[in-house]
Amino acid sequence: MTDSAVDIKVLAAEFDNPAWRINNLYLVKPREGGEGVVFKTNPIQEKFYWAMKNRNVILKPRGIGFTTLLCLFELDLAMHNPGINVGITAHTEEKAKDIFRDHIRYGYDNYRIPEVRIPLAAGTQGSQTELVFANGSVIRVDVGLRSGTYQVIHSSELGPMSKTAPEKAEEFVSGTLPTVRTASTYVFIESTAAGTTGVFYEMVQRAQKANAEIAAKVRPENDLDYRFHFFGWWEDDTKVLDAEVIIPKYLDEYFDALAVKHGVKLTREQKAWYVVTADEQGEFMRSNYPSVAEEAFEASMEGAYFSKAMNEAAKTGRIGRYAYDPRYMVDTWWDIGINDEMSIWFSQTTGNMVNMIDFYENSGEGLLHYIDVMKAKPWGRRYGRHVGPHDINTRDAFTARTKRQTAAQHGITFEYVERPRSIADAVESARMILPRCCFDKANCALGIEHMECYRKEWDRRHGVWKDRPLHDRHSHGASAFMVFAQFHDRLIQRGQRRPLTVKYETF
């Protein structure tokens, strides 16, 4: 039966209005849990809805509900228009399943007037990745959309995908976007910021440039231009806290700067919310809850030791396709952590440049595991130098042998670098050699992420970066690179210009 909460007279007058349908006929799961509630656009969602065009890039703070709004818009479009193909991508398989279950399927199953809901095609009701409607429309949710023609493409969190799975992000741009080329189609790319490299960052930069040209009347807007959308956390009327809080000096200065430079004048309740949330989020506050657009990407570089150098490498093409070249031997650079954690960079020196052709890391495995990994690489046994940190000479409590001695028993001769005088010295060595390094984007994706994200520890009390690194999952990969940089420095001190390999290692 028709939901009694939907007035029949209003329904008859408004049913052809998609904005009304979205705000009256769909239930969503409330964040606080419990039974579904009727979806209503919040002020930011409403502002976006009337400002969007066919192609849209959205740089968003967390918690606004853009994914929810867009999924309901796409579900409504597919149900009320025949032959509409909607493709939605997420940055992980788990997130793709969540989007399908919590937004698409839930919205369809809880449509408030089931007797006018478009039925699903026979035999497709049980799918966990797509809805196929009897009117010929389809909604598909996946990590990647490798084939098909779509009238609507929606990418959720392309920023994180650009960082953790760059090949999938590039496939989205090169393989999926070309399927939507006419003015009658929609593209929605909504994401939080995640570093100053990758396809999402590049799309934001292009969209901002195009929008500035159009606003300045340098050229007219065309159907293939992306409209850039940004909404600061302070535009969300739920981000307030009615409490007395002590505002640290650095945040008091930050609030003053927002008012003077950007005209963003915060209320007492907004400041209280920001102070409490900043204490929880620490260094992630500005990327998760930016006040202005440029802040989102600047935050990703603050405190990161190598972010500027890696950004420059990406801009100059030194992060790309740098595969193994059989004309040169392969050197390895190691870091050894607790619980048998190991990170290894594989490089080839070609003239004055060093190509990082591969990266590998693991934990809970003995040294022999990593030797087997080395042997299984495409270059087999064509190795030159193997260099580790100073603690490769530490004796194992059970075998009384060092890792260096164990490796020697299996035909690998390790050299090592001394403990640096300070972490600042090791970091500076890496910064000096980075302009001469190239990285294979596919094989070194995880290592590149480590280099981009290796950062200082955050001082929550004072809102500043400490003069010491944060020890997290990025530490070992960056440390292995610093082993390479310090060894290179040592060779220069000996009169050699670069770490040339002089022999093949034999196993």
Side-chain angles (χ1 to χ4, degrees):
M1 295 181 61
T2 302
D3 190 322
S4 60
V6 181
D7 185 272
I8 297 299
K9 292 181 180 179
V10 174
L11 175 64
E14 298 286 357
F15 190 75
D16 289 337
N17 181 352
W20 182 88
R21 293 196 303 263
I22 291 171
N23 276 280
N24 289 275
L25 300 184
Y26 297 93
L27 298 188
V28 292
K29 294 181 178 180
R31 291 178 182 172
E32 60 272 17
E35 295 184 357
V37 297
V38 178
F39 176 78
K40 298 288 183 181
T41 51
N42 61 40
I44 294 180
Q45 292 169 333
E46 186 79 6
K47 184 177 179 181
F48 167 77
Y49 183 87
W50 296 110
M52 72 181 182
K53 58 166 290 188
N54 293 90
R55 301 168 82 85
N56 306 271
V57 173
I58 309 160
L59 175 60
K60 63 179 186 178
R62 295 196 179 278
I64 300 300
F66 276 112
T67 303
T68 302
L69 169 66
L70 291 174
C71 284
L72 292 183
F73 172 81
E74 291 149 4
L75 175 60
D76 186 81
L77 189 69
M79 279 211 297
H80 294 91
N81 296 274
I84 297 293
N85 285 347
V86 177
I88 304 174
T89 68
H91 63 297
T92 65
E93 290 185 7
E94 181 180 3
K95 187 60 179 176
K97 292 177 181 178
D98 289 345
I99 289 175
F100 181 80
R101 181 188 64 243
D102 296 339
H103 300 301
I104 300 300
R105 188 78 215 200
Y106 190 88
Y108 178 81
D109 289 343
N110 292 279
Y111 190 76
R112 297 181 70 201
I113 316 176
E115 54 264 47
V116 299
R117 177 181 59 191
I118 301 299
L120 298 179
T124 67
Q125 292 86 343
S127 174
Q128 297 182 5
T129 60
E130 66 178 11
L131 293 184
V132 181
F133 299 97
N135 67 357
S137 291
V138 179
I139 299 179
R140 181 175 294 111
V141 186
D142 206 341
V143 174
L145 301 172
R146 298 172 181 83
S147 61
T149 299
Y150 297 92
Q151 285 70 50
V152 183
I153 289 293
H154 171 192
S155 171
S156 179
E157 296 296 0
L158 184 62
M161 179 186 284
S162 299
K163 179 174 286 293
T164 60
E167 70 287 350
K168 285 187 171 61
E170 291 179 354
E171 181 182 326
F172 170 79
V173 173
S174 64
T176 302
L177 287 182
T179 68
V180 284
R181 271 303 192 191
T182 65
S184 61
T185 56
Y186 286 100
V187 176
F188 301 105
I189 299 172
E190 45 100 357
S191 182
T192 50
T196 54
T197 59
V199 297
F200 178 67
Y201 176 74
E202 293 167 0
M203 294 189 78
V204 167
Q205 298 299 301
R206 286 197 298 270
Q208 287 181 302
K209 181 176 182 292
N211 289 190
E213 291 173 348
I214 294 164
K217 301 187 183 303
V218 174
R219 65 174 179 84
E221 187 175 29
N222 64 63
D223 291 334
L224 297 184
D225 280 322
Y226 281 86
R227 181 165 294 171
F228 175 69
H229 305 267
F230 171 78
F231 302 94
W233 67 268
W234 46 271
E235 298 181 73
D236 181 359
D237 58 9
T238 67
K239 290 180 171 50
V240 293
L241 178 64
D242 187 10
E244 295 296 329
V245 300
I246 298 174
I247 301 178
K249 181 181 178 181
Y250 82 95
L251 284 183
D252 198 36
E253 294 172 348
Y254 171 70
F255 296 147
D256 286 344
L258 277 181
V260 172
K261 295 180 180 179
H262 303 286
V264 178
K265 298 180 180 180
L266 304 177
T267 66
R268 178 184 68 85
E269 292 81 6
Q270 287 175 315
K271 291 179 180 179
W273 177 89
Y274 194 93
V275 169
V276 173
T277 307
D279 183 60
E280 172 192 80
Q281 292 289 305
E283 70 268 31
F284 302 107
M285 185 64 184
R286 293 195 183 186
S287 58
N288 285 341
Y289 301 102
S291 298
V292 293
E294 58 266 28
E295 192 176 276
F297 292 109
E298 287 173 358
S300 67
M301 298 179 68
E302 292 179 356
Y305 289 106
F306 307 123
S307 61
K308 290 182 179 179
M310 295 302 290
N311 188 35
E312 185 63 24
K315 287 182 178 179
T316 56
R318 289 185 289 107
I319 298 179
R321 180 62 174 153
Y322 291 95
Y324 165 67
D325 187 331
R327 295 175 297 173
Y328 303 96
M329 290 173 285
V330 177
D331 299 319
T332 66
W333 315 93
W334 300 57
D335 182 69
I336 302 171
I338 59 175
N339 299 323
D340 288 318
E341 291 176 303
M342 296 271 194
S343 296
I344 311 171
W345 286 96
F346 298 81
S347 74
Q348 290 186 295
T349 301
T350 62
N352 288 321
M353 301 299 291
V354 180
N355 294 343
M356 295 295 170
I357 61 172
D358 206 346
F359 177 83
Y360 181 79
E361 70 177 9
N362 209 328
S363 62
E365 300 285 353
L367 183 62
L368 295 183
H369 166 80
Y370 299 93
I371 294 175
D372 287 340
V373 168
M374 291 167 60
K375 292 178 180 179
K377 291 295 181 182
W379 44 89
R381 305 188 181 198
R382 296 172 62 83
Y383 285 100
R385 282 187 163 108
H386 304 286
V387 184
H390 63 92
D391 50 6
I392 202 168
N393 293 310
T394 302
R395 293 188 180 276
D396 185 275
F398 296 100
T399 65
R401 292 194 303 269
T402 67
K403 284 185 169 61
R404 191 180 182 197
Q405 290 172 329
T406 301
Q409 291 179 336
H410 294 274
I412 296 182
T413 302
F414 264 107
E415 300 174 78
Y416 66 93
V417 294
E418 299 289 350
R419 182 193 293 270
R421 289 178 300 176
S422 68
I423 188 63
D425 286 346
V427 167
E428 187 59 24
S429 294
R431 284 174 174 159
M432 292 296 290
I433 192 64
L434 269 167
R436 289 174 53 190
C437 293
C438 302
F439 298 83
D440 187 88
K441 181 181 287 190
N443 292 330
C444 297
L446 184 57
I448 292 169
E449 179 187 354
H450 293 331
M451 292 295 289
E452 291 175 341
C453 296
Y454 182 57
R455 64 184 61 229
K456 299 176 182 178
E457 189 176 341
W458 179 254
D459 186 334
R460 290 178 178 269
R461 179 179 178 184
H462 299 101
V464 296
W465 299 99
K466 297 180 180 180
D467 288 331
R468 62 172 181 259
L470 173 68
H471 188 76
D472 62 5
R473 70 184 186 89
H474 303 297
S475 303
H476 295 297
S479 294
F481 187 89
M482 287 187 282
V483 165
F484 153 69
Q486 293 168 82
F487 190 82
H488 182 269
D489 280 352
R490 192 176 83 182
L491 291 176
I492 291 177
Q493 292 168 6
R494 291 178 177 178
Q496 292 180 242
R497 294 185 58 82
R498 59 183 184 272
L500 289 172
T501 52
V502 294
K503 60 181 178 62
Y504 291 129
E505 185 64 70
T506 56
F507 290 95

